Amino acid sequence: MNDKNFEYLRDQVKYTGFGEGLENELKEKIQLQTPGFTLNHEAYYGEDIAKVSLNFKKSGESDMYFFNSYKVELQKDNSKESLEHTFYINKGSNITMKEAYNLMDGRAVNKDLTNKEGQAYNSWVQMDFKEADNSGNFKINQYHQNYGYDLEVALSKHPIKELENAKFKEDLMDSMKKGNLQSATFLKDGNEVKQSIEANPQFKTINVYDGNMKRIDNRQSKKEKQSEGEGKSMKQDSKRQSPSVDDDGPAVPQEAKKRKKQSNSM
């Protein structure tokens, strides 16, 4: 067995978000020297279950193996149906397991990526559940730096208490860039109210949800911001903002349901 190859794959699996629990099985599979193999993993996010197959292939010219991809079957809220998508491992920054879950749950993730010429760039990525490629994977939309989405600016339009502290603000933004649905404290009429927020790069804003996970109209949050004396008049704000499209975010469309598969397919 190629020990250096094993150590590299072990770390690659770990830092892609699968932890250290697959280490022994990985070593055993490499020792068998088969042309390829898979490792199975399960991850739990609340009531959601992600069943994952990690795919490895042996080089045709040496004893080295490569971690090529992992396939996720996401079953939500004990539903009998599931979504499937394969994430490919690249030389650049890989999509981690938690980021994969966030993408399949409809949220956007900010990543440093590498193009075919090897040049690095930053982009927000988000699944388009209306389109799929020939392999059955959902289309991934990218919102590059030139697209003009600034998460900090989008957050500043809302009366969020965490933005008043530099460290809390940094942690909040870092979490949202990973695609997390993040809890935040909103100031409403002198009271503090916990709500959930997520990045919405497509419409250059954020999505806000109340305690029951009901979507809150962004215009409502803007009014709250103005009531705190931190914004300009509603008339000036409406002129500065885009039309109503700025207030609506992408959601998992009904068409995605047509692409769901039975969870017992694996």
Side-chain angles (χ1 to χ4, degrees):
M1 184 182 74
N2 187 322
D3 290 334
K4 289 186 177 180
N5 181 224
F6 162 70
E7 292 171 359
Y8 177 81
L9 292 175
R10 177 196 63 196
D11 292 342
Q12 195 175 31
V13 168
K14 176 181 177 180
Y15 294 114
T16 308
F18 298 103
E20 301 176 349
L22 297 172
E23 180 177 340
N24 292 335
E25 187 177 2
L26 174 64
K27 179 182 290 187
E28 293 172 358
K29 292 290 181 70
I30 292 177
Q31 290 173 335
L32 293 176
Q33 290 293 296
T34 57
F37 62 87
T38 62
L39 300 178
N40 295 320
H41 175 80
E42 285 191 358
Y44 299 85
Y45 304 97
E47 297 297 321
D48 299 343
I49 303 175
K51 297 181 180 180
V52 191
S53 298
L54 288 71
N55 304 307
F56 298 80
K57 187 174 182 180
K58 188 174 182 292
S59 169
E61 302 175 354
S62 70
D63 61 350
M64 292 183 62
Y65 282 88
F66 298 93
F67 179 20
N68 289 334
S69 65
Y70 63 93
K71 180 179 180 181
V72 180
E73 178 187 352
L74 178 62
Q75 183 177 343
K76 293 183 61 60
D77 298 327
N78 297 318
S79 171
K80 293 182 179 180
E81 297 180 327
S82 62
L83 291 175
E84 291 185 0
H85 190 92
T86 297
F87 296 88
Y88 294 93
I89 304 299
N90 303 306
K91 292 182 180 180
S93 180
N94 296 320
I95 298 292
T96 68
M97 181 61 231
K98 181 61 186 301
E99 291 170 342
Y101 167 74
N102 286 335
L103 287 170
M104 295 181 75
D105 207 31
R107 291 182 292 278
V109 172
N110 183 266
K111 296 292 290 184
D112 291 320
L113 304 172
T114 305
N115 63 20
K116 294 180 180 179
E117 290 73 33
Q119 298 173 324
Y121 67 97
N122 180 268
S123 179
W124 286 87
V125 294
Q126 190 168 25
M127 283 188 175
D128 184 347
F129 295 97
K130 293 181 180 179
E131 293 189 41
D133 59 23
N134 294 332
S135 63
N137 275 341
F138 294 111
K139 178 184 177 182
I140 301 292
N141 291 329
Q142 293 196 12
Y143 304 97
H144 298 244
Q145 293 152 307
N146 293 337
Y147 185 76
Y149 179 53
D150 189 321
L151 178 60
E152 185 174 5
V153 171
L155 285 167
S156 70
K157 298 176 182 179
H158 301 265
I160 299 174
K161 183 179 180 181
E162 285 80 4
L163 301 181
E164 300 171 1
N165 180 290
K167 182 63 170 64
F168 292 164
K169 178 180 178 180
E170 181 182 0
D171 290 344
L172 178 71
M173 292 180 61
D174 286 345
S175 178
M176 294 179 72
K177 287 180 178 180
K178 294 176 183 177
N180 293 326
L181 182 66
Q182 180 64 43
S183 174
T185 308
F186 281 66
L187 302 174
K188 293 186 175 185
D189 300 324
N191 298 317
E192 296 184 358
V193 180
K194 285 290 186 181
Q195 295 180 332
S196 298
I197 57 177
E198 63 188 12
N200 186 339
Q202 182 180 5
F203 296 106
K204 301 178 183 179
T205 183
I206 64 171
N207 298 335
V208 184
Y209 302 89
D210 64 17
N212 297 317
M213 287 307 296
K214 181 180 179 181
R215 177 78 177 274
I216 297 175
D217 193 325
N218 274 345
R219 286 169 291 193
Q220 178 181 342
S221 292
K222 290 173 186 176
K223 290 178 183 178
E224 292 164 359
K225 177 76 171 181
Q226 292 156 357
S227 70
E228 294 292 327
E230 298 175 13
K232 295 182 180 180
S233 70
M234 291 178 62
K235 183 176 180 180
Q236 291 173 322
D237 187 65
S238 63
K239 289 181 179 179
R240 185 171 61 254
Q241 296 299 323
S242 301
S244 59
V245 67
D246 184 59
D247 298 314
D248 296 320
V252 179
Q254 293 297 318
E255 288 85 345
K257 295 182 179 179
K258 296 179 181 179
R259 294 209 61 264
K260 292 182 180 181
K261 299 182 179 181
Q262 294 298 322
S263 61
N264 59 8
S265 61
M266 291 187 65

